[in-house]
Each structure stands twice: as structure tokens, then as C-alpha cells.
Amino acid sequence: MAKEIMTEEFNAFINQDKPVLIDFWATWCGPCRMLAPVVEEVSAQYEGQVAVGKVDVDKCPELAKQFRVMSIPTLILFKDGKIVDQKLGFMPKSALEEMIRKAL
């Protein structure tokens, strides 16, 4: 299950010894709500291999600004604390899986 990440814990979360996928989203965003079940499926499928977190841009606007999130949903994949891939908008599960496989 994807973990809700707040600003205070963000740096520790992305600096794990496995790839980390962060979903920048908002409760009012239709495409974000469409993507949420896909993110949860992938989180369960890659449990133990990939950490999955969700950042609500309304609760953590400073993180959205730091990573130049101008539109949501935005998915950012980190490895060793560095961005290795970034995608914008709704995507099918297969596209999200492909993004993750590149980091494994």
C-alpha cells in the first residue's frame, strides 16, 4: 500500500536502498483519482522491491514546488535519492510497470 508522505519525512523516504515511486496528487483531481487504484496495484505487486509514496500537493506545496510539479498527477521515480524517471498524467498499469522495471 502506498504511504502518504509529508514534507518532514520526504528526504528519508526517497533515500531508501530500493527504488522509490512518488505520486504527486490532490483529492480534487479527477485523473489523480483514476490513477490511484493503478498506483495501489503496482505498490502491492512490487512490495519489498519498490517503496511507493503519495504526496498531496495541497498539504505539501513546498515539495511540489521543489520538484517543479506543475500538473498532476505527476509520478517521480527515485533511485539512491535521485530522480531517474518522471511521468505526467494518467497512465495504464503497463506503463507504470515499465517505468519501475527500468529502476530495478
Side-chain angles (χ1 to χ4, degrees), residues 86-104:
Q86 186 168 342
K87 302 282 188 214
L88 176 64
F90 177 81
M91 68 185 73
K93 183 179 175 188
S94 60
L96 189 50
E97 289 172 323
E98 182 180 332
M99 180 181 178
I100 289 171
R101 278 194 299 270
K102 290 178 185 178
L104 292 176

Side-chain angles (χ1 to χ4, degrees), residues 16-90:
Q16 297 187 46
D17 60 353
K18 56 187 163 193
V20 176
L21 179 69
I22 300 291
D23 176 14
F24 287 87
W25 70 290
T27 57
W28 48 264
C29 169
C32 297
R33 288 192 307 270
M34 289 172 39
L35 185 61
V38 176
V39 171
E40 289 300 329
E41 282 182 43
V42 168
S43 177
Q45 181 177 340
Y46 288 94
E47 186 175 359
Q49 298 176 63
V50 176
V52 180
K54 295 178 74 67
V55 173
D56 185 331
V57 297
D58 290 330
K59 293 180 182 176
C60 304
E62 60 284 349
L63 287 175
K65 182 178 179 183
Q66 178 182 346
F67 292 98
R68 297 187 174 114
V69 174
M70 305 300 281
S71 186
I72 52 175
T74 292
L75 296 166
I76 301 179
L77 186 63
F78 294 86
K79 190 168 186 178
D80 300 319
K82 296 180 178 27
I83 296 172
V84 294
D85 202 355
Q86 186 168 342
K87 302 282 188 214
L88 176 64
F90 177 81

